[in-house]
Amino acid sequence: MTEKKKSNNFLSHIIKADLEQNRVKNNTVITRFPPEPNGYLHIGHTKSICLNFGLAEEFGGQCHLRFDDTNPDTEEEEYIKAIQEDVKWLGFDWGKNLFFASDYFEQLYKWALELIEKNLAYVDEQSIEEIRANRGSLKDPGKNSPFRNRSVEENLTLFEKMKSGGFEEGEAVLRAKIDMKSPNMNFRDPILYRVRKSEHPRTGDKWVIYPMYDFAHGQEDAIENVTHSICTLEFEDHRPLYEWFIENLSVPSKPRQYEFARLNLDYTVMSKRKLLELVKENHVDGWDDPRMPTIRGMKRRGYPASAIREFCSRIGVTRKNSIIALSTLESCIRENLDETANRVMAVLDPIKVVITNLNDSEILEGSINPKNPDLGKRKIPFSNTIYIERSDFMETPPPKYHRLSPGGEVRLRYAYVLRCDEVIKDEKGEVIELRCQYFPETKGGKKPSDGRKIKGIVHWVDGKDHIKANVHLYDRLFSVENPLGNKDEDYRNFLNKNSLVTINDGLIEKSFLDMKSESPFQFERLGYFVLDSKTSNDDQFVFNRTITLKDNWAK
Ligand code: ATP
Ligand code: MG
């Protein structure tokens, strides 16, 4: 990591005080990022990643990557691999601290036995529906299960039966024996273990009982000596239970849980279940579709990892839920690319221009990146046939139009002033060619000899010496701020129908070949574009638009 900024949020204050008052075991701050491998990581996860890895780094500690693989129904090896790649790509390193909840199944099982032996857990054979109904509500207390007062011996026997496959899914669960009348619903005899007979990606069919999140998470933290276990606010009500397990079990350390507000972004959805739906129903081209809010999607879109980290640092960490504007993320991308992207010209909707008073061709020069003059100049071929953008010409322009029109003048970027003398149309009346004159004395930004002012400047690409590329113009995936905000309408109805426009045979300045890289380029006046890592190759270049130069969505 290069940014050595100190964070200034309530969590860093807590950690600082804990260290000062010697409350941290071995003086080593340990945090963790605990993804469930049931999907790819998204921008919401990056907030948690930046926070957990960032705090560990800031206080000289360590951050663990721990897979919370306690649900064999939805978890896959594919996700385990991808999550590691994505965290690395974001710029973080867990070193040798890679862990799996499934590595602790044996220990967690022993702790379940410990609770049973202390008469703090029992096997419940009510159906899932009965358990739910007897849990009560915020207004009504719950009802004790008829199985609640089983003897320790009977519970040990029945839990062993659960473990050895003697119960089918839903026939029995292990529950903590706490308080069915507690005002905190999480204390009403929470389920600790359930039967699941599907294959686990790492432990295969070794286990048929799996621990619930609440029973697993804190104990996993304790095993790893995690000092600050940071999760999102929905888990605030689970904290007393987290502490109850830590107090009642012979765990090796006493981690503490802290909560922060999750990231919500407008114009997108973030739940993995919904993202999976978009993939499965082919609304997008996979988890790495450049419109997806996934780390892979953003990577393929050309978002630099450092810009995403900057976004996470800018939005800060609080305990107040809010919705962040997607434009905040987009400004971070723009600011970053303005500094880092090399420039070329490209014409995506070309109109041919023939320069009638020019015979030779020549090589002009342009800055590779005006923000970084050390990079020097690029070589731009120029000849008597060029292309400009169709939208930079108007046959009957409104007043104060500064681009090209019949009889009008415009400056070609890095080249000369041009005057349009003649408009050629096809039989349908569509403009197919402009005949123009150039003014040799105006090379490289000089004024015409009579000193007249040229207000407009347009980009162009040489007619002979260029490369062709297909270009994906990506835009926001949803056309409304809150796709989930309308209870009566499915969020998929709010997908932005223009979120992808494909252009074939866009023309790109030849110098791109000299500078070719995986980083985004600025196509001057058009936006930032990156080679598509999935489909582009040397026979057919494909570019993804990372972002427009200006915010087209601003109200
Ligand atoms: P989703 O709701 O998208 O399925 P999840 O919370 O179930 O996400 P996990 O794999 O359990 O996904 O998340 C791993 C970690 O990332 C958790 O610690 C969780 O708190 C954090 N996290 C997930 N979504 C967000 C978010 N939107 N903002 C901040 N942190 C998040
Ligand atoms: Mg989760």
Side-chain angles (χ1 to χ4, degrees):
M1 306 268 26
T2 44
E3 313 97 293
K4 275 275 179 268
K5 256 190 243 169
K6 284 246 175 295
S7 61
N8 181 20
N9 57 56
F10 76 98
L11 287 166
S12 63
H13 297 167
I14 288 172
I15 295 179
K16 198 154 171 268
D18 284 347
L19 281 168
E20 277 164 9
Q21 290 161 39
N22 289 319
R23 284 194 295 255
V24 180
K25 193 176 170 181
N26 303 328
N27 264 328
T28 306
V29 172
I30 304 183
T31 57
R32 86 284 168 269
F33 173 64
E36 189 183 344
N38 61 351
Y40 286 78
L41 298 179
H42 53 60
I43 181 79
H45 294 114
T46 64
K47 178 173 180 183
S48 173
I49 296 169
C50 290
L51 177 61
N52 280 295
F53 280 93
L55 286 170
E57 188 186 40
E58 180 173 343
F59 291 99
Q62 63 201 48
C63 180
H64 299 181
L65 176 62
R66 183 207 308 147
F67 285 97
D68 202 359
D69 55 346
T70 52
N71 181 2
D73 294 343
T74 52
E75 296 164 3
E76 290 174 27
E77 191 61 41
E78 171 197 349
Y79 300 134
I80 294 178
K81 201 167 144 265
I83 287 171
Q84 295 182 55
E85 287 169 9
D86 289 352
V87 173
K88 278 205 183 122
W89 178 79
L90 253 192
F92 297 102
D93 184 7
W94 53 88
K96 51 187 182 349
N97 299 305
L98 174 65
F99 300 104
F100 292 84
S102 54
D103 287 339
Y104 309 138
F105 282 169
E106 194 66 44
Q107 176 62 67
L108 290 167
Y109 170 72
K110 285 191 185 136
W111 278 326
L113 294 178
E114 184 180 342
L115 280 187
I116 296 175
E117 276 155 8
K118 288 179 173 165
N119 201 12
L120 290 174
Y122 62 98
V123 173
D124 195 352
E125 288 172 77
Q126 295 182 98
S127 68
I128 292 299
E129 294 72 37
E130 285 169 319
I131 290 177
R132 197 172 296 133
N134 289 336
R135 220 174 152 223
S137 65
L138 286 174
K139 280 189 254 114
D140 305 310
K143 285 197 199 78
N144 284 352
S145 162
F147 302 101
R148 197 173 197 259
N149 288 321
R150 285 177 149 154
S151 69
V152 168
E153 287 66 37
E154 196 184 355
N155 280 317
L156 287 172
T157 309
L158 290 171
F159 190 46
E160 174 59 32
K161 184 177 167 190
M162 276 176 72
K163 180 176 178 252
S164 56
F167 286 106
E168 292 308 312
E169 295 189 9
E171 282 181 353
V173 294
L174 183 72
R175 298 178 75 176
K177 195 190 278 190
I178 311 182
D179 180 4
M180 288 304 289
K181 298 186 178 57
S182 172
N184 184 336
M185 299 288 285
N186 295 303
F187 267 8
R188 295 185 186 176
D189 292 8
I191 296 176
L192 310 181
Y193 268 88
R194 72 252 199 258
V195 175
R196 280 286 174 279
K197 294 200 168 168
S198 33
E199 177 99 359
H200 185 281
R202 297 189 77 242
T203 58
D205 57 7
K206 175 156 189 251
W207 294 89
V208 293
I209 52 169
Y210 289 91
M212 300 295 288
Y213 174 90
D214 281 327
F215 185 68
H217 206 89
Q219 283 78 286
E220 293 159 14
D221 288 338
I223 293 172
E224 294 175 17
N225 287 313
V226 166
T227 55
H228 297 80
S229 177
I230 302 167
C231 60
T232 45
L233 278 174
E234 314 86 85
F235 291 96
E236 186 171 16
D237 287 347
H238 295 241
R239 186 179 351 123
L241 183 56
Y242 183 104
E243 288 168 356
W244 189 88
F245 289 127
I246 297 295
E247 282 314 312
N248 282 292
L249 291 171
S250 50
V251 290
S253 74
K254 290 192 187 299
R256 296 196 56 145
Q257 175 184 307
Y258 301 89
E259 308 88 25
F260 70 103
R262 66 194 293 116
L263 169 65
N264 299 301
L265 263 189
D266 62 12
Y267 290 98
T268 190
V269 295
M270 256 191 252
S271 117
K272 282 185 275 191
R273 200 173 54 76
K274 300 223 161 49
L275 296 176
L276 183 61
E277 270 168 11
L278 294 174
V279 171
K280 285 207 164 140
E281 296 168 12
N282 295 315
H283 297 291
V284 293
D285 165 35
W287 285 93
D288 62 352
D289 184 294
R291 293 163 293 180
M292 290 280 270
T294 52
I295 295 184
R296 314 224 124 184
M298 294 190 287
K299 177 183 176 200
R300 195 173 153 204
R301 177 89 174 243
Y303 286 13
S306 58
I308 299 173
R309 293 196 301 265
E310 169 62 22
F311 167 71
C312 289
S313 130
R314 247 182 235 185
I315 57 177
V317 180
T318 68
R319 286 179 51 87
K320 199 165 166 292
N321 276 313
S322 65
I323 299 176
I324 305 289
L326 186 56
S327 54
T328 309
L329 172 61
E330 292 170 342
S331 330
C332 293
I333 308 302
R334 278 192 193 95
E335 283 172 33
N336 182 300
L337 293 180
D338 182 41
E339 295 292 324
T340 57
N342 291 343
R343 271 61 166 173
V344 290
M345 292 189 286
V347 173
L348 301 184
D349 183 13
I351 180 169
K352 187 177 178 184
V353 173
V354 174
I355 302 170
T356 50
N357 60 339
L358 176 67
N359 293 319
D360 304 332
S361 60
E362 65 176 310
I363 302 290
L364 301 170
E365 280 192 335
S367 171
I368 288 178
N369 180 346
K371 297 288 164 82
N372 186 356
D374 291 347
L375 291 177
K377 303 278 186 199
R378 60 189 213 251
K379 297 196 174 342
I380 312 172
F382 176 73
S383 68
N384 60 9
T385 306
I386 61 166
Y387 288 92
I388 64 167
E389 212 71 62
R390 191 163 283 276
S391 58
D392 280 332
F393 172 79
M394 267 184 113
E395 205 173 1
T396 37
K400 297 200 182 147
Y401 184 76
H402 295 315
R403 285 163 287 160
L404 205 58
S405 58
E409 289 179 319
V410 81
R411 182 176 293 282
L412 295 173
R413 184 133 174 88
Y414 305 117
Y416 301 89
V417 170
L418 195 71
R419 188 181 69 212
C420 175
D421 298 328
E422 197 185 343
V423 180
I424 314 246
K425 299 179 181 175
D426 64 10
E427 61 275 18
K428 281 180 256 150
E430 199 172 331
V431 177
I432 51 168
E433 186 181 314
L434 304 175
R435 297 265 162 93
C436 298
Q437 237 182 92
Y438 88 117
F439 297 89
E441 79 274 16
T442 59
K443 184 170 180 172
K446 288 198 218 42
K447 279 195 181 140
S449 45
D450 64 359
R452 67 189 188 279
K453 278 220 170 68
I454 310 296
K455 288 225 174 98
I457 181 156
V458 302
H459 62 276
W460 54 276
V461 168
D462 186 67
K464 299 178 192 110
D465 228 0
H466 57 242
I467 53 177
K468 287 202 169 120
N470 292 343
V471 181
H472 296 143
L473 301 180
Y474 289 111
D475 201 350
R476 293 179 178 181
L477 185 53
F478 289 92
S479 52
V480 298
E481 269 179 40
N482 186 359
L484 302 173
N486 186 334
K487 294 241 166 359
D488 304 321
E489 210 165 337
D490 189 275
Y491 73 101
R492 283 161 286 204
N493 295 343
F494 299 111
L495 282 162
N496 176 5
K497 296 188 180 54
N498 302 316
S499 62
L500 169 59
V501 174
T502 300
I503 292 188
N504 295 318
D505 290 340
L507 308 176
I508 320 286
E509 177 188 314
K510 183 82 168 289
S511 71
F512 172 76
L513 293 180
D514 307 330
M515 302 186 279
K516 192 165 165 271
S517 90
E518 285 163 18
S519 310
F521 278 73
Q522 187 190 103
F523 289 179
E524 299 199 38
R525 294 180 68 230
L526 294 179
Y528 297 97
F529 294 75
V530 69
L531 280 180
D532 184 33
S533 53
K534 205 167 174 177
T535 62
S536 190
N537 59 57
D538 284 345
D539 297 322
Q540 175 62 66
F541 289 117
V542 181
F543 283 94
N544 296 330
R545 181 167 72 194
T546 307
I547 198 156
T548 51
L549 286 181
K550 290 204 184 83
D551 184 357
N552 297 334
W553 289 78
K555 288 171 194 128

